[in-house]
Amino acid sequence: MAMKSYSPEFKADAVALYLSDPTRTYASVARDLGLNRETLRLWVKESRATGSAPTTAGPTKKQAGGPVSSDAVLEEENRQLRARIRELETERDILRRAAKYFGGRDELVSRFQFVADHRGAFGVKRLCRVLGVSRSGFYRWQSAAPAREARAAADAALAEEIKQIHGEFDGTYGSPRVTAELRGQGMRINHKRVERIMRRFGIVGLHLRKKIRTTVTEPSASKAPDLISRDFTAPAPNQRYVGDITYLPLADGAFLYLATVLDLHSRRLAGWSIADHMRTDLVVDALRAAAATRDGLDGAIFHSDHGSQYTSHRFAEVCAELGVHQSMGAVGSSADNSAAEAFNASLKRETLQGARSWPSACQARLEVFRWITRYNTRRRHSALGQLSPIDYEQTSDKVLLAA
């Protein structure tokens, strides 16, 4: 059945998703997350209440010679409400301009630049409060403008030299060879600076796309029998699960990793975890999340590949603690865990939509969180009679009778 209580992490991610794009409404975000609109609005209100918020005007003055009349009280309350509405409309205007200005980025330098460009219209104090930056930090950044401009000019000049070298070698040189070429010309330069400038100016050398290996076997680890045998079905929820690890590429060349626990009855993602590593904690957290969602996994089967995370002694101990029976396919056979791999492929295809990476780790987390929650609550699945996984779990008996 659908969630009735939500973890603090879920609430925080839901609020972050709503605040990440000023064009989104409570209703649209709530639909994607399978929430009530009012519930999301209250979460956002509570989150804002814990931060800095503009204060209301002082108490209503008493009338001379007697108590305050009800009309005067109402007028004062209306005045305060109108002032608050004007302030909120101003903040909304700032955030809308900021969303277009940043172009998908939310770097500290970009926010300082936005404050500098719009200080005449809104004032430094208000802009810094709305964007969540300190005024002292902004003024320090502003005082360093001459040195920053000099560095930018030097970087632009060096970029021209790098482009010339890059062109001479038919665009095949990456930063290591470009650095060597510059040093060969007598320039004393750090390779990190070359990497930074090439990344900033979009100068990319020819290279093969590296295949990211997420399944690393441990020969000495214990193996579990195959209890699934490529039968990726289950007669009821919370009986048979599959899981896998997939990588989430970022624009700076780094990766996040996603571990999943997928129920074979409804294809519901009962548990998942994202981290910047592939240690055993990643898959343990995903399995514990599934146990929390299902109020326990006692007697359930969990099927995986032979990755070292799943064959580790610690993961085996957690499975025993939760009453889970481990299952593994043949070594090197993707077909033995095709249900989990198909889920990962759908997730990346529908979130990246042809892009090679996410701009940042924060955006990757929010997009994956949004997609996974919508997948469980709203995304129609052809194998489930075009129902979402949670809807299928709630009406599966009727669907089977109708079939």
Side-chain angles (χ1 to χ4, degrees):
M1 56 187 297
M3 282 190 212
K4 296 300 182 183
S5 61
Y6 302 89
S7 67
E9 292 81 7
F10 184 95
K11 293 180 181 179
D13 283 340
V15 171
L17 179 62
Y18 171 78
L19 296 178
S20 67
D21 186 353
T23 63
R24 290 177 178 159
T25 64
Y26 286 117
S28 65
V29 175
R31 280 198 305 270
D32 284 345
L33 301 184
L35 294 172
N36 180 277
R37 175 190 177 280
E38 187 64 15
T39 298
L40 178 61
R41 190 190 69 79
L42 289 175
W43 289 352
V44 174
K45 180 180 178 182
E46 292 171 359
S47 176
R48 284 173 168 164
T50 60
S52 59
T55 58
T56 58
T60 305
K61 296 180 180 178
K62 292 185 178 180
Q63 292 180 345
V68 178
S69 69
S70 59
D71 289 343
V73 171
L74 288 174
E75 179 60 30
E76 177 62 19
E77 290 179 351
N78 287 337
R79 187 188 67 78
Q80 293 182 16
L81 287 173
R82 287 194 295 270
R84 179 59 178 152
I85 289 172
R86 287 194 299 271
E87 179 65 22
L88 290 174
E89 288 175 344
T90 301
E91 291 183 5
R92 182 186 62 184
D93 187 28
I94 291 172
L95 291 173
R96 282 179 173 173
R97 294 190 188 190
K100 297 177 181 178
Y101 187 91
F102 295 154
R105 296 174 292 118
D106 191 21
E107 301 167 359
L108 185 61
V109 171
S110 297
R111 283 179 276 174
F112 283 158
Q113 188 64 58
F114 182 84
V115 173
D117 292 345
H118 296 81
R119 61 186 302 176
F122 301 105
V124 173
K125 181 178 180 180
R126 174 184 281 163
L127 286 167
C128 288
R129 175 176 56 79
V130 173
L131 297 179
V133 297
S134 68
R135 279 187 288 167
S136 60
F138 166 73
Y139 288 124
R140 285 195 301 271
W141 174 85
Q142 190 177 44
S143 66
R148 192 165 54 250
E149 291 173 0
R151 286 196 302 270
D155 285 352
L158 180 57
E160 291 302 317
E161 296 188 41
I162 292 175
K163 288 177 182 177
Q164 184 176 356
I165 294 172
H166 193 254
E168 288 177 0
F169 293 92
D170 301 324
T172 60
Y173 270 17
S175 59
R177 288 191 174 94
V178 169
T179 303
E181 192 70 20
L182 290 170
R183 289 174 177 172
Q185 296 176 6
M187 185 179 296
R188 297 182 62 183
I189 190 166
N190 187 288
H191 72 280
K192 292 183 178 179
R193 186 184 178 198
V194 175
E195 290 176 1
R196 175 176 58 81
I197 292 176
M198 291 183 68
R199 182 167 58 248
R200 176 184 171 189
F201 287 87
I203 307 170
V204 182
L206 181 66
H207 61 278
L208 296 176
R209 189 173 183 181
K210 181 170 64 176
K211 182 178 180 181
I212 307 302
R213 187 183 181 195
T214 56
T215 302
V216 181
T217 59
E218 175 57 55
S220 62
S222 59
K223 306 297 189 294
D226 187 350
L227 304 178
I228 296 293
S229 300
R230 300 189 184 181
D231 177 13
F232 300 113
T233 62
N238 202 27
Q239 292 187 0
R240 291 152 63 94
Y241 294 89
V242 293
D244 197 11
I245 300 174
T246 190
Y247 70 96
L248 308 174
L250 306 178
D252 61 1
F255 297 93
L256 294 179
Y257 299 93
L258 170 68
T260 55
V261 180
L262 193 72
D263 192 316
L264 289 177
H265 172 71
S266 62
R267 296 300 193 270
R268 178 180 181 178
L269 190 66
W272 57 282
S273 177
I274 294 180
D276 58 358
H277 61 80
M278 288 200 300
R279 296 190 293 273
T280 302
D281 286 343
L282 178 68
V283 296
V284 167
D285 289 346
L287 193 64
R288 289 195 183 280
T293 298
R294 294 303 197 185
D295 294 327
L297 298 174
D298 190 30
I301 294 172
F302 178 78
H303 184 79
S304 68
D305 57 27
H306 286 259
S308 59
Q309 301 85 355
Y310 295 113
T311 58
S312 67
H313 294 299
R314 178 157 181 254
F315 188 73
E317 291 172 355
V318 173
C319 287
E321 172 192 336
L322 298 175
V324 172
H325 304 293
Q326 278 191 271
S327 170
M328 295 180 186
V331 176
S333 174
S334 60
D336 285 355
N337 202 25
S338 59
E341 295 192 8
F343 173 87
N344 292 335
S346 296
L347 183 150
K348 286 197 279 191
R349 181 176 62 251
E350 295 182 18
T351 52
L352 285 172
Q353 296 186 359
R356 296 175 63 89
S357 61
W358 281 275
S360 67
C362 177
Q363 189 161 344
R365 287 177 183 271
L366 286 178
E367 288 295 330
V368 170
F369 166 72
R370 179 173 182 250
W371 188 92
I372 285 175
T373 309
R374 187 170 57 184
Y375 167 89
N376 278 337
T377 59
R378 295 185 60 202
R379 184 181 180 277
R380 298 182 186 277
H381 203 299
S382 59
L384 305 178
Q386 298 301 340
L387 295 174
S388 70
I390 289 180
D391 286 342
Y392 182 78
E393 288 185 357
Q394 295 173 342
T395 59
S396 57
D397 291 341
K398 297 178 183 178
V399 172
L400 291 174
L401 288 173

